[in-house]
Amino acid sequence: MSLRFRPMPGLSLAVLICLPILLGLGIWQYQRWQWKKDILAEVEASVTAPPIVGLRALAIARTSSTRLDFRRIEFDAEAVGPTWHVYRPEGAIQWQPFRQVEMDGDTALVGFPSFADQSKDTVMPPELSGPRAGYVRRVRPRNGAATWFGTESDAERNRWFEINPDGAWVQGDALYIDLHPTETNANDLPVRRPEIANNHVSYMLTWWSFAAILLIIYAILHRRAGRLNWS
């Protein structure tokens, strides 16, 4: 079998530029898939781990490399200091009050159950009495379009649109406790799993399919132009 191939200079140059890009994007999506898979494994280990008991145990866990997001926690502490109201668009306009809590020198930031916008000016600061349970959450700063078009927080009116922005409330606190409205025993809390999509395999196959289609079109055009023949 003999093969005769005379490449079209312009088309061949375009393919030489585009093909590595498409293959590279597929490899990048494969790496993203591996990275997301590791994150999902860490999250699963966190949400199914035994609950943290007490603020001292939380302080110790902070110093380790263990992922704490969505970990269940049970604690007994006293609410101290000011209250910060964070906007929560949960159907109607609602605000979630946040306060620091303290027990034997250990502190944590706690998000209490939300209240309706109509009650904002009259609601009393939330208090704690006895053991309470909730979920450890990571503070996630606003990014992307939310920082370009989002409403600015107003400290004077106590209207906040993100939690502890740039350490405005508590310096260096990247975690908070999302308090359950009624539960006092963390073992009775349901496991809360975040919805994290991992579609990167399909993205990888898509980019590599584009690369294969590009090569097929390249071969067809050369065949029709009489530049690719075999016998």
Side-chain angles (χ1 to χ4, degrees):
M1 179 179 179
S2 61
L3 177 68
R4 290 179 297 168
F5 175 54
R6 292 179 296 119
M8 300 178 185
L11 181 60
S12 298
L13 179 61
V15 169
L16 285 174
I17 293 173
C18 294
L19 188 62
I21 293 174
L22 294 173
L23 293 175
L25 288 170
I27 293 171
W28 173 60
Q29 289 298 334
Y30 173 78
Q31 294 169 341
R32 293 275 295 173
W33 171 68
Q34 292 281 8
W35 167 75
K36 189 71 71 66
K37 192 168 67 169
D38 292 341
I39 287 180
L40 289 171
E42 291 178 6
V43 169
E44 184 64 20
S46 176
V47 301
T48 57
I52 297 171
V53 180
L55 298 186
R56 167 49 43 182
L58 176 61
I60 294 172
R62 287 173 185 266
T63 63
S64 70
S65 58
T66 304
R67 179 177 286 271
L68 297 175
D69 207 12
F70 291 95
R71 181 96 175 257
R72 292 169 294 170
I73 183 170
E74 177 183 328
F75 65 98
D76 190 353
E78 178 186 1
V80 296
T83 303
W84 301 280
H85 294 163
V86 178
Y87 174 68
R88 293 297 195 212
E90 299 170 355
I93 297 177
Q94 296 200 1
W95 300 89
Q96 184 178 16
F98 281 76
R99 293 188 76 182
Q100 261 199 311
V101 299
E102 187 270 338
M103 174 59 73
D104 297 331
D106 295 307
T107 62
L109 190 62
V110 172
F112 291 79
S114 302
F115 58 84
D117 184 60
Q118 295 88 332
S119 307
K120 186 177 187 308
D121 294 330
T122 58
V123 69
M124 298 296 292
E127 300 288 350
L128 291 175
S129 58
R132 296 296 297 272
Y135 301 88
V136 179
R137 295 302 317 277
R138 183 164 64 90
V139 174
R140 299 179 183 276
R142 291 193 301 177
N143 51 35
T147 60
W148 303 335
F149 306 111
T151 306
E152 292 295 326
S153 297
D154 188 337
E156 291 186 3
R157 300 173 63 191
N158 197 11
R159 296 164 61 93
W160 302 88
F161 294 89
E162 59 182 308
I163 300 168
N164 197 24
D166 299 323
W169 308 347
V170 183
Q171 286 295 326
D173 206 337
L175 296 173
Y176 70 96
I177 299 172
D178 189 15
L179 197 67
H180 190 275
T182 59
E183 191 58 67
T184 60
N185 187 339
N187 287 299
D188 293 334
L189 284 176
V191 170
R192 183 192 291 180
R193 289 181 174 85
E195 295 182 3
I196 304 176
N198 190 10
N199 301 320
H200 296 287
V201 169
S202 62
Y203 301 153
M204 173 191 72
L205 294 176
T206 297
W207 288 118
W208 286 352
S209 297
F210 289 159
I213 292 170
L214 178 65
L215 289 176
I216 292 171
I217 292 174
Y218 178 77
I220 290 173
L221 291 176
H222 279 80
R223 177 70 173 173
R224 289 182 174 177
R227 289 172 170 266
L228 176 60
N229 297 286
W230 57 84
S231 58

